[in-house]
Every structure is written in structure tokens, then in C-alpha cells.
Amino acid sequence: MKRINVTQSSLPSYEKYIEKIRSLWDTKFLTNMGVFHMELEKKLIEYLKTPYISLYSNGHIALEYALESLERKGEVITTPFTFVSTTHAIVRTGNIPIFCDIKESDYTIDETKIESLITDKTIAILPVHVYGNVCNVEEIEKIAQKHNLKVVYDAAHAFGVKYKGKGIATYGDISMFSFHATKVFHTGEGGALTYNNIALKQKFEVLKNFGIISQEEVSYVGGNAKLDEFRAAMGLCNLEIADEEISKRKAVFERYEENLKGIKGIKLNLRQPEVVQNYAYFPVLFDNYKLTRDQVFILLKENEIYARKYFYPLTSSFKAYSNLFEMQETLVALKITDNILCLPMYANLEISDVDRICDIIKEGESKI
Ligand SMILES: *Cc1c(COP(=O)(O)O)cnc(C)c1O
């Protein structure tokens, strides 16, 4: 039986990439903000419609640098329905995560529950555009302004997403994008911060390169999180095919929708108004369906189809945090995490396989 994973990395043609990196054998300049790095920055500024960008060796470390740039430590309001990286970044930078519940409609932070979590220790809000679904950016902005808080978005899932005609990167103080191999656009490993404040540019650039200002001057205790030329070259090749890949994903997404819409107990991802999606994931909520989420997961696995329980369990339940801080109760997130399943979703997923996956889900019988 053919194995189908939840995702499969997009790649440019082999020849295209080899041709791209050929010049590295002439210049022998492999990292430290080389020509590919600079070109990728420029092209991403255009693509994401953001004023400023800094590239990183991965999205997680970029998020840590974003939080470090706030220059204050305290409580950060976030959600537990995310990849563990979001919560880790808060804790590893010496902050305390305060878990806010999510909305049943689109799984993003419930903005109506943020204010009651704000204390005199709160420094920032860190919402997640989960599955590429757009948070209520306007309301979050209002709350942040009223309480003088920074907003850092985990936009790891939201590459290319637009809201009201603007790139998602333009909302909030800073957004983090992941260019991991499993994401819509990737550099193998890689990531970026986007922001509107030019004052952050030098700081971000210097911090990811050991805090070095010049050969004999080190002004910050920085680290090393630079994106090298091989990865930047992969990014340049992948950016050329990004729109094509997203439109192929769209076809897969729509086929799933056709197959699964209107079935009792199956809730598909909301189509948000005024949002241009990137079709990064295909989450399905099994809510009183004839099969539970776990039964569907096993049934697909028996057919060599590897769906993923994104995101299960909630990050707030991880052992790594036990005894570190107080946990908030997030009842909606708890319900979603127990019932949601991400079906295989990638540009080259064959339509006949989408149909097969849906048939298995529809024809499956509960064995209990
Ligand atoms: C992928 C991901 C990250 C981390 O990005 P990396 O590039 O893998 O370090 C952070 N948050 C979310 C929600 C992600 O999906």
C-alpha cells in the first residue's frame, strides 16, 4: 500500500537548485548575509508586503529573539493550542506563559478573554495564526494599545496569507514566520521576523550574529542564528514556485471540502471573510461524528495514511512545564485538542488520494 504522510515538502527541480548554487563554488562565500541571503530578504519583503524583515536559521529561534527584543520580562498572554515552540520560546526567554482560551470558530485566541488575564506583569500578547487562520488582529491591537502591550504573532502557519488586502506580516509589532521543510514555503530549516519599526532592524541583525557591530566591537550578548547561502538559495527557488504550490494546495483543499461538507458531526475549517488563505493545513473537527477523532486516526493509519493530531495535547499539559507556573483552564481548547485531526495536505497530493481518504472516513464503522 502507498504511504501517505500528513505533508510532503515542496521542492524546485533538482536542476534548478543545482544551477542556483553553482556560483557558491566560485565565490566560496557560504554564509554571513551573502548575496542569496540579501536577495531573499528583498524578495520576501515584496512577497509578504512587510516594511522590514530579518532572516533566521529557524522560526523558533526567531521567536526567541523577538521576545528578547522586548527588553522586559514578565507574563506573555498566549494560547496552548499550538506547536510546543510557541510556549517554549516564552519560557526559554525567561517569561511566564499565561494561557488564554481559543475560539471554537477558528481556533485562534479568544480576544474577549484576553483583558481579564492582563496584570501589572503582562508585557506582551503572543497569539498564533493557527492553520493560517487570521486572529482578530484589530481587537488585539486595541487591547494592546489600551494596556501598552506589545503584540508578537506566531505566523509560522501564515506565509502568504492576506487580510483586508494587506499582508498578514503587517499586523502587530513583530511576526514570526517558519521556513521549516513542512511549511507552505520553506528553506529546509529557516525562519524570519517581520516588523514595522526600523529601530528593530539593526538590533535583530546584530543579535543573530554574536552581537558583533564591527570586527573589534561587540555591543550585545548575541547568539548565532544566521541563514546560510544554501538555504537562502533554496528559498529563492521555492519562492518562484510559491504561488503555483499554493494554488495546487487550493485544489486539494477544495476537493476535501466537496467530499466532506455537510456531513453530520464533521466540522471543516472556517472560510474567514476578507482573508486570502494559503491552504497550509486541512483540519477536521469530529464532533459527535459516528467515529471519534482517535478512531479516524487509527482507521487511516491502517490504510497507510498518516494524519496528525495537530495540536494534541495542549502545550499547557506538557511535563516540561509541570511545577514551573500556574496553568489556566482553557475549556474550548481542551475540547478542540481532543477532537481535531489534520488530514494529509500538500501541493502534490493526488486528487484520487483525497477521494480515497474521504471514502475511508465516510465509510468507516465504529468498532466499539
Ligand atoms: C513550525 C512552527 C514553529 C517553529 O518553527 P521552526 O522553523 O520549525 O523552528 C513555531 N510555531 C508554530 C505554530 C509552528 O508550526
Short mmCIF file of all heavy atoms in Angstrom, two decimals, residues 58-60 82-83 85-86 128 154 156-157 176 178-180 183 190, ligand 1:
data_model
loop_
_atom_site.label_atom_id
_atom_site.label_comp_id
_atom_site.label_asym_id
_atom_site.label_seq_id
_atom_site.Cartn_x
_atom_site.Cartn_y
_atom_site.Cartn_z
N ASN A 58 16.08 29.33 11.89
CA ASN A 58 14.79 28.63 12.04
C ASN A 58 13.78 29.56 12.70
O ASN A 58 14.14 30.61 13.26
CB ASN A 58 14.93 27.31 12.82
CG ASN A 58 15.45 27.51 14.23
OD1 ASN A 58 14.74 28.03 15.09
ND2 ASN A 58 16.70 27.14 14.47
N GLY A 59 12.52 29.17 12.63
CA GLY A 59 11.45 30.02 13.14
C GLY A 59 11.46 30.12 14.66
O GLY A 59 11.19 31.18 15.22
N HIS A 60 11.77 29.00 15.31
CA HIS A 60 11.74 29.02 16.77
C HIS A 60 12.73 30.03 17.35
O HIS A 60 12.38 30.82 18.23
CB HIS A 60 12.03 27.61 17.34
CG HIS A 60 12.14 27.65 18.82
ND1 HIS A 60 11.04 27.64 19.64
CD2 HIS A 60 13.22 27.80 19.63
CE1 HIS A 60 11.44 27.76 20.90
NE2 HIS A 60 12.75 27.85 20.92
N THR A 82 -1.25 25.09 20.06
CA THR A 82 -0.19 25.46 19.12
C THR A 82 0.91 24.43 19.18
O THR A 82 0.89 23.52 20.01
CB THR A 82 0.36 26.87 19.46
OG1 THR A 82 1.38 27.23 18.53
CG2 THR A 82 0.94 26.92 20.87
N PHE A 83 1.90 24.59 18.33
CA PHE A 83 3.10 23.75 18.39
C PHE A 83 3.89 24.18 19.62
O PHE A 83 3.89 25.36 20.00
CB PHE A 83 3.91 23.97 17.11
CG PHE A 83 5.14 23.12 17.01
CD1 PHE A 83 5.10 21.76 17.25
CD2 PHE A 83 6.36 23.69 16.66
CE1 PHE A 83 6.23 20.97 17.15
CE2 PHE A 83 7.50 22.92 16.55
CZ PHE A 83 7.44 21.56 16.80
N SER A 85 6.74 24.93 20.27
CA SER A 85 7.70 26.01 20.06
C SER A 85 7.21 27.35 20.62
O SER A 85 7.99 28.09 21.22
CB SER A 85 7.98 26.15 18.56
OG SER A 85 8.60 27.37 18.27
N THR A 86 5.94 27.66 20.43
CA THR A 86 5.39 28.94 20.88
C THR A 86 5.58 29.11 22.39
O THR A 86 6.08 30.14 22.85
CB THR A 86 3.88 29.03 20.56
OG1 THR A 86 3.63 28.47 19.27
CG2 THR A 86 3.38 30.46 20.61
N VAL A 128 -1.42 33.11 17.93
CA VAL A 128 -0.96 32.23 16.84
C VAL A 128 -2.00 32.28 15.71
O VAL A 128 -3.19 32.05 15.97
CB VAL A 128 -0.81 30.77 17.33
CG1 VAL A 128 -0.26 29.88 16.24
CG2 VAL A 128 0.06 30.71 18.58
N ASP A 154 2.78 34.60 16.28
CA ASP A 154 3.36 33.38 15.73
C ASP A 154 2.63 33.15 14.42
O ASP A 154 1.48 32.69 14.40
CB ASP A 154 3.16 32.20 16.69
CG ASP A 154 3.79 30.91 16.16
OD1 ASP A 154 3.89 30.77 14.92
OD2 ASP A 154 4.16 30.05 16.97
N ALA A 156 3.84 31.29 11.96
CA ALA A 156 4.52 30.15 11.35
C ALA A 156 3.67 29.47 10.27
O ALA A 156 4.20 28.95 9.29
CB ALA A 156 4.93 29.13 12.41
N HIS A 157 2.35 29.50 10.46
CA HIS A 157 1.45 28.83 9.50
C HIS A 157 0.94 29.77 8.42
O HIS A 157 0.19 29.34 7.55
CB HIS A 157 0.21 28.30 10.23
CG HIS A 157 0.50 27.24 11.23
ND1 HIS A 157 -0.49 26.65 12.00
CD2 HIS A 157 1.66 26.63 11.59
CE1 HIS A 157 0.06 25.75 12.80
NE2 HIS A 157 1.36 25.72 12.58
N MET A 176 6.46 36.24 13.44
CA MET A 176 7.46 35.20 13.16
C MET A 176 6.91 34.24 12.09
O MET A 176 5.79 33.77 12.21
CB MET A 176 7.79 34.42 14.43
CG MET A 176 8.78 33.27 14.22
SD MET A 176 8.05 31.73 13.58
CE MET A 176 7.28 31.10 15.06
N SER A 178 7.89 30.66 9.95
CA SER A 178 8.78 29.49 9.92
C SER A 178 8.96 29.06 8.47
O SER A 178 7.99 28.97 7.73
CB SER A 178 8.18 28.34 10.71
OG SER A 178 8.86 27.14 10.37
N PHE A 179 10.22 28.79 8.12
CA PHE A 179 10.50 28.25 6.78
C PHE A 179 10.98 26.81 6.90
O PHE A 179 11.84 26.34 6.16
CB PHE A 179 11.58 29.10 6.08
CG PHE A 179 11.22 30.57 5.93
CD1 PHE A 179 12.23 31.52 5.80
CD2 PHE A 179 9.90 30.99 5.92
CE1 PHE A 179 11.91 32.88 5.67
CE2 PHE A 179 9.58 32.34 5.78
CZ PHE A 179 10.59 33.28 5.66
N HIS A 180 10.41 26.10 7.87
CA HIS A 180 10.73 24.68 8.05
C HIS A 180 10.21 23.87 6.85
O HIS A 180 9.23 24.26 6.21
CB HIS A 180 10.08 24.17 9.35
CG HIS A 180 10.41 22.76 9.66
ND1 HIS A 180 9.53 21.72 9.42
CD2 HIS A 180 11.54 22.21 10.15
CE1 HIS A 180 10.12 20.58 9.78
NE2 HIS A 180 11.34 20.85 10.22
N LYS A 183 6.54 23.49 6.03
CA LYS A 183 5.66 24.65 5.89
C LYS A 183 5.39 24.97 4.40
O LYS A 183 6.08 24.47 3.52
CB LYS A 183 6.29 25.86 6.59
CG LYS A 183 6.59 25.63 8.08
CD LYS A 183 5.35 25.29 8.89
CE LYS A 183 5.42 25.50 10.39
NZ LYS A 183 6.31 24.73 11.22
N GLY A 190 14.63 27.23 8.54
CA GLY A 190 14.76 28.67 8.35
C GLY A 190 13.56 29.39 8.94
O GLY A 190 12.58 28.76 9.35
C1 LIG B 1 6.79 25.26 12.77
C2 LIG B 1 6.29 26.08 13.91
C3 LIG B 1 7.16 26.80 14.75
C4 LIG B 1 8.65 26.64 14.74
O1 LIG B 1 9.25 26.90 13.55
P1 LIG B 1 10.64 26.18 13.16
O2 LIG B 1 11.04 26.88 11.91
O3 LIG B 1 10.36 24.73 12.97
O4 LIG B 1 11.60 26.43 14.27
C5 LIG B 1 6.60 27.64 15.70
N1 LIG B 1 5.26 27.76 15.85
C6 LIG B 1 4.40 27.06 15.09
C7 LIG B 1 2.94 27.25 15.29
C8 LIG B 1 4.89 26.18 14.11
O5 LIG B 1 4.01 25.45 13.40
#
